[in-house]
Amino acid sequence: MSDSRLLDQGTAPIRFARGWHCLGLASDFSDGKPHAVHGFGTKLVVWADSSGELNVLDGYCRHMGGDLTQGEVKGDNVACPFHDWRWGGDGKCKEIPYARRVPLRARTQRYETVVRNGQLLIWHDPEGSAADHDILPPELPDVMTDKYTPWSWHTREINGSHCRELIDNVADMAHFYYVHFAFPTSFRNIFDGHTATQFMESKGRPDTMGGGYGDENSTLKSEATYYGPSYMINWLEVDYKGFITEVILINCHIPTGPDSFTLQYGISVRKPEGLDEKTCNYIAERYTESFGDGFLQDVAIWENKVAVQNPLLCEEDGPVYQLRRWYEQFYVDVADIKPEMVDRFEFEVDTTKANEYWHAEVAENLAKRAADEAAAPADA
């Protein structure tokens, strides 16, 4: 019998995570039209009523299945394009123009909404519980003011991967060297209740042309916290040749199916004092490009790897199993949450051995590059 370790790909969870999920920038839904957002195995309809309040319902009319996202906003309600049944933000049918009365059971699935940091968040729970406002992501008081640049917001559809692939990165120290081209010099995690935090310091590799984490002239201090299953705030301090910039990066996602999700990320940069608006915007654009490239580096991995339920780990791989136990709390009924899913857990990875090897490898790469350049014909 072979002693080879088998790869357990498992099966993706049937249910979707309980918690707050971000649908995007609130301003994108405030134009008086119905908007479609795919999530939780269905389609959602999002619209603003006459007072500017944002509403979210299941996207399909409970009458005959019409697509509400193809309808119109009439007054405070969204009207189905099929028979003009008009649905309110509370999930109740408010009017059927051709009928004497509205059936008593004319209700549909609604999602409680909150606008936080300029973004629209909704509460999802397979058990149907009321929204827990105590576990909302924190307000970022200076964002959305003239102290920061406006959100640069981006969306990417991911197919072939469960959204847990994002979460694994919280405990993954080594991938910053191989995927993001940086030396992670300090790396630790704290999991506590509904939050999971990664603290990291890194320096870019001089043997690559990587942006973001991989710029050899930059050192980075990063504190990234997931507030629930799908919304992360990443506070970044970038020291580029002595010029320090503070960046806030939002990394969030909406599960669309058992092996697909919509990835969204937004970047806002604190405007350095003494610089004009044009220069501030230029700096923000460069960081948006750099960290956006970093996301695409991860996407290339996610879309080509397989799920692994039993990862084979070494000492420097960090607390992957503990992180997954933390994440599991959002996929079980509240009554089934176990202490090991929510109890405080801290772990720091010793990066000494890894950096010894990595620096030697980079030195070899630089030496080989120099030799190749010296041997190249001096023409052209």
Side-chain angles (χ1 to χ4, degrees), residues 38 156-163 165-166 254-263 298-306:
H38 292 274
R156 176 71 181 261
E157 303 298 326
I158 308 297
N159 294 296
S161 291
H162 188 270
C163 49
E165 301 294 342
L166 283 79
I254 312 162
T256 53
D259 62 351
S260 62
F261 58 92
T262 300
L263 172 69
D298 281 320
V299 167
I301 298 294
W302 297 331
E303 292 188 327
N304 291 281
K305 73 183 293 296
V306 297

Side-chain angles (χ1 to χ4, degrees), residues 108-179:
T108 188
Q109 174 70 47
R110 70 174 291 270
Y111 296 86
E112 189 161 345
T113 63
V114 168
V115 175
R116 178 136 301 190
N117 302 317
Q119 299 139 27
L120 174 61
L121 278 66
I122 65 169
W123 175 260
H124 174 268
D125 183 6
E127 292 184 89
S129 69
D132 188 344
H133 291 260
D134 292 334
I135 61 173
L136 274 165
E139 295 274 12
L140 301 170
D142 290 335
V143 172
M144 308 291 292
T145 72
D146 59 4
K147 294 182 180 180
Y148 275 79
T149 60
W151 288 115
S152 177
W153 200 261
H154 303 268
T155 301
R156 176 71 181 261
E157 303 298 326
I158 308 297
N159 294 296
S161 291
H162 188 270
C163 49
R164 189 183 68 183
E165 301 294 342
L166 283 79
I167 310 301
D168 279 348
N169 276 4
V170 172
D172 190 347
M173 180 273 294
H175 95 286
F176 283 97
Y177 176 81
Y178 295 103
V179 179

Side-chain angles (χ1 to χ4, degrees), residues 29-298:
F29 303 109
S30 300
D31 59 0
K33 299 177 182 179
H35 294 264
V37 175
H38 292 274
F40 315 116
T42 185
K43 183 188 288 187
L44 312 179
V45 60
V46 186
W47 82 98
D49 60 26
S50 60
S51 66
E53 184 86 14
L54 292 175
N55 305 282
V56 182
L57 302 178
D58 185 277
Y60 296 104
C61 182
R62 293 313 191 247
H63 174 220
M64 297 285 285
D67 186 346
L68 296 176
T69 72
Q70 300 297 313
E72 298 178 49
V73 175
K74 297 182 178 180
D76 291 332
N77 309 317
V78 62
C80 180
F82 200 178
H83 299 91
D84 204 24
W85 285 41
R86 302 178 186 182
W87 299 89
D90 59 0
K92 298 178 182 179
C93 181
K94 301 298 186 180
E95 183 182 359
I96 306 170
Y98 62 87
R100 291 188 180 90
R101 63 184 66 90
V102 175
L104 294 176
R105 298 181 62 186
R107 295 171 180 261
T108 188
Q109 174 70 47
R110 70 174 291 270
Y111 296 86
E112 189 161 345
T113 63
V114 168
V115 175
R116 178 136 301 190
N117 302 317
Q119 299 139 27
L120 174 61
L121 278 66
I122 65 169
W123 175 260
H124 174 268
D125 183 6
E127 292 184 89
S129 69
D132 188 344
H133 291 260
D134 292 334
I135 61 173
L136 274 165
E139 295 274 12
L140 301 170
D142 290 335
V143 172
M144 308 291 292
T145 72
D146 59 4
K147 294 182 180 180
Y148 275 79
T149 60
W151 288 115
S152 177
W153 200 261
H154 303 268
T155 301
R156 176 71 181 261
E157 303 298 326
I158 308 297
N159 294 296
S161 291
H162 188 270
C163 49
R164 189 183 68 183
E165 301 294 342
L166 283 79
I167 310 301
D168 279 348
N169 276 4
V170 172
D172 190 347
M173 180 273 294
H175 95 286
F176 283 97
Y177 176 81
Y178 295 103
V179 179
H180 299 306
F181 308 129
F183 298 108
T185 56
S186 174
F187 194 95
R188 65 188 178 97
N189 291 121
I190 298 177
F191 312 143
D192 191 6
H194 74 291
T195 65
T197 303
Q198 174 199 94
F199 300 89
M200 185 190 69
E201 297 182 12
S202 68
K203 182 172 177 57
R205 288 171 53 178
D207 63 330
T208 68
M209 301 298 289
Y213 295 105
D215 191 316
E216 67 170 309
N217 295 304
S218 293
T219 57
L220 182 74
K221 293 182 180 179
S222 169
E223 178 181 333
T225 298
Y226 267 97
Y227 294 91
S230 67
Y231 187 95
M232 186 194 81
I233 302 177
N234 191 181
W235 290 270
L236 297 155
E237 182 182 283
V238 185
D239 185 338
Y240 181 78
K241 298 181 178 180
F243 184 82
I244 295 176
T245 306
E246 296 177 36
V247 180
I248 293 179
L249 184 152
I250 302 295
N251 167 19
C252 56
H253 66 270
I254 312 162
T256 53
D259 62 351
S260 62
F261 58 92
T262 300
L263 172 69
Q264 300 190 68
Y265 64 94
I267 293 173
S268 181
V269 178
R270 178 179 282 276
K271 298 177 182 179
E273 294 183 6
L275 297 182
D276 59 73
E277 194 73 14
K278 183 178 180 181
T279 304
C280 289
N281 289 334
Y282 175 81
I283 292 172
E285 289 172 5
R286 297 289 77 77
Y287 280 118
T288 298
E289 290 176 3
S290 294
F291 289 109
D293 289 345
F295 271 92
L296 295 179
Q297 290 165 335
D298 281 320

Side-chain angles (χ1 to χ4, degrees), residues 324-353:
R324 290 184 174 188
R325 281 197 289 272
W326 168 85
Y327 187 57
E328 188 180 356
Q329 67 178 287
F330 307 112
Y331 286 85
V332 299
D333 290 349
V334 171
D336 295 328
I337 295 176
K338 299 176 182 179
E340 60 262 29
M341 298 177 185
V342 294
D343 286 349
R344 185 178 178 88
F345 174 86
E346 299 186 34
F347 189 92
E348 183 165 2
V349 176
D350 185 348
T351 65
T352 305
K353 169 62 178 174

